[in-house]
Amino acid sequence: DGRVRKWYEEKGWTVKGGMSYGCDYVLYRGSPDEYHSEYAVLIADEDDPPTWAFLQNMIRLMEKVQKDLLVCTPTPTSVYDFSATRGIFTETHGKRKLESCFISWL
């Protein structure tokens, strides 16, 4: 989904394809030559979300490759994401931070 890629790029992330990790994208804080990708992005359809078993398998894989899994749901008006391994992202005063809660909407 091009909207998801653009949304993360507008937040300052370098976005690359995530096929090697079984996800849609991986996110870098800067140049991939200088930084390890911290996050793997899985785009989830709001009408057909991934199963818990699938998410659990993805989380285990991400632990092995040292990434946090972000499940991202684009809607017609915005993009929502949450960390399946740590919690939910929020944006305050233009800066993104990771909250210490977990959303269980699936």
Side-chain angles (χ1 to χ4, degrees), residues 31-83:
S31 168
D33 295 331
E34 298 176 20
Y35 292 91
H36 170 78
S37 60
E38 297 176 52
Y39 299 102
V41 178
L42 177 67
I43 299 174
D45 185 343
E46 191 173 29
D47 297 324
D48 187 24
T51 65
W52 279 115
F54 178 78
L55 284 178
Q56 187 176 33
N57 288 334
M58 287 296 292
I59 289 168
R60 287 181 178 151
L61 172 62
M62 293 306 113
E63 288 174 353
K64 292 185 185 298
V65 295
Q66 300 177 357
K67 293 178 189 358
D68 285 330
L69 178 65
L70 297 177
V71 179
C72 180
T73 305
T75 68
T77 57
S78 59
V79 175
Y80 298 97
D81 68 339
F82 75 92
S83 171

Side-chain angles (χ1 to χ4, degrees), residues 15-32:
V15 181
K16 296 292 181 183
M19 190 183 332
S20 298
Y21 302 102
C23 61
D24 295 292
Y25 299 115
V26 289
L27 305 180
Y28 297 84
R29 286 197 184 273
S31 168

Side-chain angles (χ1 to χ4, degrees), residues 69-70 81-90 97-105:
L69 178 65
L70 297 177
D81 68 339
F82 75 92
S83 171
T85 50
R86 292 194 187 178
I88 185 171
F89 275 115
T90 59
K97 70 174 189 172
L98 197 58
E99 294 293 329
S100 59
C101 62
F102 181 80
I103 294 179
S104 59
W105 56 272

Side-chain angles (χ1 to χ4, degrees), residues 91-96:
E91 188 164 332
T92 308
H93 305 295
K95 295 187 178 183
R96 287 171 56 79

